[in-house]
Amino acid sequence: MSNQSGCSDFSVITSPKKLQRVVTGKLLLSIAVTSILSSTAFAAEGDEVAVQGATDQEAVPTATLDTIVVRAARDELEQAAGLSIISEEAIEKASVSNDISEIVRKMPGVNLSGSSTSGQRGNQRQIDLRGMGPNNTLILIDGRPVTSRNSSRPSRGSEQDTRGDSQWVPPGAIESIEVLRGPAAARYGSGSMGGVVNIITKSPTEPEFSISGHYEAPESDLEGSSWRTNINMAGALTDKLSSRTTLGYHDSEADDPSINAAEALDDSVAAGTEGVENIDVRQVFEYAMDAMNTVGFEVNYSRQENRWAGDSLFQTVNETLIDELEGETTSKMQRYGAAITHRGEYDDASSNSFIEYTRTVNERLGEGSAGGGEGQIVIPDDGEDFEWTEATYDTLNAKSEWDIYFDRHTLTAGAEFRGEKLDNPVVSDMTFEDGFEFGDVETDPDKRDPTSDAYLVGAYLEDNYEITPDWYVTPGLRFDYHSEAGSNWSPSINTTWHFSPDWSVKGGVSRAFKAPSLYQLDPNYIYYTGGNGCPSWVPLDERGCHVLGNPDLENETSWNKEITFTYDDGTGLNAGLTYYHNAYDNRIGAGTDRVAVDTATNRSIFQWDNQGEAIVEGLEGFVQVPVTDKVSWSTNITSNIRSERKDNGEPLSLIPKFTVNTGVDWDITPRWNADFDVSYYGTIEAPTISVTTGEDSGDPLLDREPYAIANVSTRYDLTKAITVGAGIKNLFDEGVYREGTATNAGARTFNEPGRTYVFDVSVDF
């Protein structure tokens, strides 16, 4: 990745304390890099999730097969009840438009939600595991953390204008996707309190030259069509050197700005779904040094541009802007990356290691950063052009993990470094009145440092132990030190007991955490509201309100517990039921407790702060039935028993009370396959308290009523090299429309696409 300044980019030395942090960070990074270059490893690292190896099971597009047996070295050691595997075949059958969230949402324990319950960016929903929120779902690509969404600033309501990090790899380049929920995810460190989604790309050693095309035509003229194409080239260049080249392009049109007009509240029309243009280029080389050691080198580039549909932070579509910008690019995100990897396989050990640098350049048309104009594109003066702004987010990640095999157990040890730097002067240009003074805030915008940085160092140890042939226990311990938020211990224990030939019980407990973001930590990240965004209790003569970043934030934490019963009779019939309970503490949000009053203006001052506790608990179940040798049926269900903040009773995420995914897969002939699936989403209850003001809504807001989406598809192999497919998404054209934000529309803050016709073709040369 193109970073001219190298590792020093992560250090802005302004004090002896800062210098000590930087020196410590670089020393630890040097140790990590030395370990990588001298040891071994990599190969879709995180996929091993305390789960060392692959599983034979494959998830169909509408259901999951939770992993029952996981191989660790020579023995089959069992753990990770909440692991679902989505195979390459399942991805192909699902005809994914572009973003893998489309198929991941069909796993148990998974939904899509916004960054907060505000619904302000209602159609920017992301993967949300177990109702803990998208920011507590860690996205990995080949085991390496992806955090480009952190380049997008959070609003006062914690909403971010981002699609998340689940569409940086085109579907045609994916070998499998692992979705890990529950206590076993704690070993992945910061950001995994809800779980982990690991996107595993295809190996360069598998020969391939293929071109695929995908087209979607919506029945409604108000919805945008889309198409994509992927090219994959891979294979051996010499007897030791292999290469894989991936090229991807995707283009979707935006919804018509009036798509939700029929559902509008008080003449306020909410925007539909934006379109997007994606360009993805990835080049991987892998060199087999000998029978035991393999090194790799990867460079990648991705570009995402939106096609504007009138969206802003609030519910009103601005007609003046629509006339100028409908369907145009108003934001673009570019991600550059480079990685060195190493994998080792030895008689009594194996290892995975990597070092990776990424840069995300987040460009967008200038927006208001305060009050009623927050998140709204700024209209230029007559004769002037729209102004672009830019945020740059750099990360440097390194990790080395070893598995050491013994007769009855496998010991896993690892160390990790994550460094991040943000350059975003746009949000720090607020001018204060003379006399303002508070903490580390610079009152003069010209003196504010536009950069902020932090690093995290972690180490962990885990032992997968076979007590008896039917009983396995996996204790673990992880320690992390964050340069700003301090230290964190993450103990865990998971166990599996086969109490009969067909039945087993699994349980786990772990402590997980998430470090504060750079925006939240930066005292020069400043939000201002003229009054309507102030907490409701603030006296009128002490409004507006400043919300400032807080360098004293602590890590968010959670205790995750689960117990699972599974059945597998060896014939393909298997089922499972999981109860989970997450106790969430220190959640970070924009504060509602005033910390000071600006003596210059008599305005109230708030900070981002660590807030109270929350509880999330629910049930996950799945069943797969081999109806015949050609027909299989699978179903999973997720029940959200409770998602509740203890301070005000509000939910953490706007997700359904329960979700059911069921599907039938039919191999009509060896060359012809058909699938039918239905996803049923139960009631989504509306919030009752404003995220931004803390004020009770008074009148009951609107719940999202239950709805179901059915899909049907078929694929046929014309020849050994050519496969064609067709299908219909949302077969019965179930209409789901956005009516506004949570403030006025309750839970009706997002769209689901209507009936859409899908066509696929792939050619293998």
Side-chain angles (χ1 to χ4, degrees):
M1 195 175 113
S2 58
N3 172 22
Q4 281 103 12
S5 38
C7 296
S8 61
D9 276 356
F10 293 96
S11 306
V12 179
I13 302 175
T14 57
S15 67
K17 181 181 178 182
K18 193 75 168 183
L19 177 61
Q20 182 181 11
R21 290 174 179 169
V22 171
V23 171
T24 303
K26 289 188 174 181
L27 176 60
L28 290 166
L29 174 60
S30 299
I31 294 172
V33 173
T34 301
S35 176
I36 291 169
L37 297 180
S38 63
S39 70
T40 42
F42 170 70
E45 177 274 323
D47 32 272
E48 305 195 8
V49 182
V51 177
Q52 318 297 327
T55 166
D56 297 339
Q57 295 175 320
E58 298 177 343
V60 298
T62 56
T64 187
L65 236 8
D66 275 37
T67 298
I68 306 301
V69 178
V70 183
R71 297 183 182 276
R74 304 184 183 105
D75 303 310
E76 293 184 346
L77 301 178
E78 303 167 76
Q79 50 194 354
L83 177 64
S84 303
I85 308 295
I86 306 173
S87 68
E88 178 183 357
E89 181 183 7
I91 297 170
E92 291 174 350
K93 289 180 178 179
S95 293
V96 174
S97 300
N98 182 60
D99 190 337
I100 64 156
S101 64
E102 183 180 337
I103 186 171
V104 173
R105 71 182 296 190
K106 296 178 180 180
M107 301 298 103
V110 185
N111 275 288
L112 303 182
S113 74
S115 303
S116 79
T117 57
S118 73
Q120 291 174 327
R121 300 287 185 182
N123 284 318
Q124 299 285 48
R125 296 194 298 162
Q126 306 162 52
I127 298 170
D128 183 345
L129 298 185
R130 288 188 171 174
M132 294 288 284
N135 287 331
N136 287 315
T137 296
L138 180 62
I139 305 295
L140 308 173
I141 298 177
D142 291 327
R144 307 194 294 268
V146 187
T147 54
S148 292
R149 61 186 168 187
N150 290 345
S151 66
S152 296
R153 72 177 185 88
S155 69
R156 192 193 192 290
S158 299
E159 200 73 54
Q160 292 174 279
D161 188 12
T162 171
R163 298 178 184 86
D165 289 312
S166 56
Q167 54 180 334
W168 294 114
V169 181
I174 298 174
E175 178 180 288
S176 62
I177 304 169
E178 296 183 343
V179 183
L180 178 67
R181 311 166 299 279
R187 68 171 296 177
Y188 281 91
S190 178
S192 61
M193 289 196 296
V196 174
V197 175
N198 188 22
I199 304 167
I200 303 171
T201 62
K202 295 179 180 179
S203 168
T205 59
E206 295 297 325
E208 180 182 8
F209 181 21
S210 67
I211 300 176
S212 62
H214 174 91
Y215 179 70
E216 296 192 4
E219 188 170 284
S220 171
D221 294 336
L222 299 178
E223 294 180 349
S225 61
S226 70
W227 69 278
R228 67 170 167 84
T229 184
N230 298 142
I231 300 175
N232 285 286
M233 297 174 287
L237 301 179
T238 70
D239 59 342
K240 291 188 174 183
L241 180 65
S242 299
S243 167
R244 174 169 287 277
T245 303
T246 299
L247 305 173
Y249 181 81
H250 167 255
D251 194 335
S252 63
E253 298 173 347
D255 287 347
D256 190 288
S258 66
I259 189 171
N260 296 314
E263 309 296 327
L265 298 170
D266 302 326
D267 298 323
S268 176
V269 179
T273 304
E274 289 187 334
V276 63
E277 180 186 55
N278 286 67
I279 299 173
D280 299 288
V281 181
R282 184 177 299 264
Q283 178 62 57
V284 180
F285 292 100
E286 193 170 278
Y287 182 74
M289 301 171 62
D290 51 40
M292 296 181 292
N293 297 289
T294 302
V295 295
F297 175 71
E298 176 180 329
V299 291
N300 56 73
Y301 169 79
S302 292
R303 179 187 181 98
Q304 296 179 9
E305 293 189 9
N306 77 328
R307 300 285 183 264
W308 197 60
D311 196 24
S312 68
L313 197 63
F314 302 111
Q315 63 264 25
T316 304
V317 173
N318 187 303
E319 293 297 334
T320 301
L321 287 170
I322 287 295
D323 292 340
E324 292 279 342
L325 298 173
E326 179 186 352
E328 298 295 323
T329 297
T330 62
S331 69
K332 45 191 173 185
M333 188 101 73
Q334 297 181 84
R335 183 177 184 269
Y336 309 80
I340 299 173
T341 65
H342 188 263
R343 180 177 68 250
E345 297 290 343
Y346 309 105
D347 290 340
D348 296 311
S350 64
S351 64
N352 289 293
S353 303
F354 69 82
I355 181 169
E356 179 180 50
Y357 173 74
T358 63
R359 164 164 288 180
T360 302
V361 180
N362 186 352
E363 299 176 82
R364 57 191 314 111
L365 291 184
E367 297 176 340
S369 59
E374 185 190 11
Q376 182 70 270
I377 295 171
V378 176
I379 300 174
D381 296 332
D382 290 342
E384 300 291 330
D385 294 329
F386 286 92
E387 181 181 352
W388 285 86
T389 61
E390 180 179 298
T392 303
Y393 178 68
D394 296 309
T395 63
L396 180 64
N397 298 320
K399 187 172 183 178
S400 184
E401 180 176 283
W402 284 80
D403 297 321
I404 304 171
Y405 309 130
F406 299 91
D407 289 341
R408 297 180 61 180
H409 65 111
T410 298
L411 183 67
T412 299
E416 180 179 17
F417 175 90
R418 297 189 203 176
E420 56 180 349
K421 176 191 172 186
L422 177 68
D423 185 343
N424 188 13
V426 176
V427 297
S428 58
D429 59 2
M430 182 71 67
T431 300
F432 291 97
E433 300 289 340
D434 292 339
F436 177 90
E437 184 176 350
F438 181 80
D440 297 327
V441 179
E442 283 284 356
T443 58
D444 183 354
D446 294 333
K447 294 182 179 179
R448 293 182 193 138
D449 188 348
T451 62
S452 57
D453 62 272
Y455 68 84
L456 181 148
V457 180
Y460 56 93
L461 191 67
E462 188 174 77
D463 194 13
N464 199 351
Y465 196 87
E466 177 189 340
I467 297 177
T468 72
D470 297 321
W471 184 21
Y472 306 89
V473 177
T474 309
L477 182 64
R478 180 180 175 114
F479 173 78
D480 291 271
Y481 174 76
H482 189 269
S483 60
E484 308 300 319
S487 60
N488 183 82
W489 290 93
S490 301
S492 64
I493 185 165
N494 293 275
T495 185
T496 297
W497 176 40
H498 282 281
F499 58 87
S500 81
D502 299 335
W503 287 91
S504 65
V505 59
K506 305 180 182 186
V509 179
S510 71
R511 187 176 190 267
F513 83 106
K514 179 179 179 294
S517 74
L518 292 181
Y519 280 107
Q520 295 165 338
L521 288 165
D522 185 0
N524 289 315
Y525 172 52
I526 302 162
Y527 169 87
Y528 175 74
T529 174
N532 291 332
C534 291
S536 57
W537 60 265
V538 176
L540 293 178
D541 62 347
E542 294 176 2
R543 300 185 181 187
C545 298
H546 294 291
V547 181
L548 312 176
N550 184 356
D552 297 322
L553 290 172
E554 299 177 355
N555 295 311
E556 299 178 314
T557 61
S558 69
W559 277 101
N560 302 338
K561 307 169 188 176
E562 73 176 17
I563 185 168
T564 299
F565 289 89
T566 59
Y567 175 85
D568 186 351
D569 65 0
T571 68
L573 174 64
N574 56 79
L577 181 65
T578 298
Y579 167 78
Y580 61 86
H581 181 284
N582 294 349
Y584 189 2
D585 197 12
N586 267 0
R587 188 185 66 87
I588 296 174
T592 56
D593 294 329
R594 184 170 55 191
V595 295
V597 175
D598 176 12
T599 56
T601 61
N602 207 38
R603 294 170 181 168
S604 298
I605 299 173
F606 300 83
Q607 285 185 299
W608 290 80
D609 59 20
N610 292 103
Q611 300 175 352
E613 299 177 352
I615 296 294
V616 177
E617 61 178 337
L619 293 171
E620 298 169 358
F622 75 92
V623 60
Q624 181 175 8
V625 179
V627 181
T628 70
D629 59 348
K630 295 183 178 181
V631 178
S632 64
W633 169 68
S634 58
T635 295
N636 67 68
I637 183 170
T638 301
S639 174
N640 177 29
I641 297 174
R642 181 163 56 149
S643 173
E644 181 180 300
R645 290 175 51 180
K646 288 189 175 181
D647 57 346
N648 60 15
E650 289 292 279
L652 287 174
S653 298
L654 294 183
I655 60 173
K657 292 295 291 181
F658 63 91
T659 304
V660 179
N661 299 288
T662 185
V664 175
D665 182 83
W666 181 18
D667 290 325
I668 302 170
T669 72
R671 298 168 61 177
W672 186 15
N673 173 268
D675 288 271
F676 176 77
D677 65 81
V678 179
S679 294
Y680 183 86
Y681 303 99
T683 301
I684 302 177
E685 295 183 350
T688 60
I689 297 175
S690 169
V691 175
T692 56
T693 68
E695 186 175 9
D696 195 304
S697 60
D699 297 330
L701 297 178
L702 303 172
D703 293 341
R704 171 69 77 188
E705 298 300 324
Y707 65 95
I709 294 179
N711 309 293
V712 61
S713 63
T714 185
R715 295 175 62 83
Y716 185 76
D717 296 330
L718 291 176
T719 68
K720 289 184 178 180
I722 302 174
T723 299
V724 295
I728 303 175
K729 295 182 178 180
N730 200 346
L731 178 63
F732 302 112
D733 200 21
E734 177 76 23
V736 178
Y737 298 97
R738 184 183 181 196
E739 299 180 24
T741 68
T743 302
N744 66 341
R748 302 182 185 183
T749 60
F750 61 89
N751 291 72
E752 293 275 14
R755 184 183 293 127
T756 302
Y757 302 96
V758 181
F759 306 92
D760 290 284
V761 61
S762 63
V763 181
D764 294 317
F765 296 94

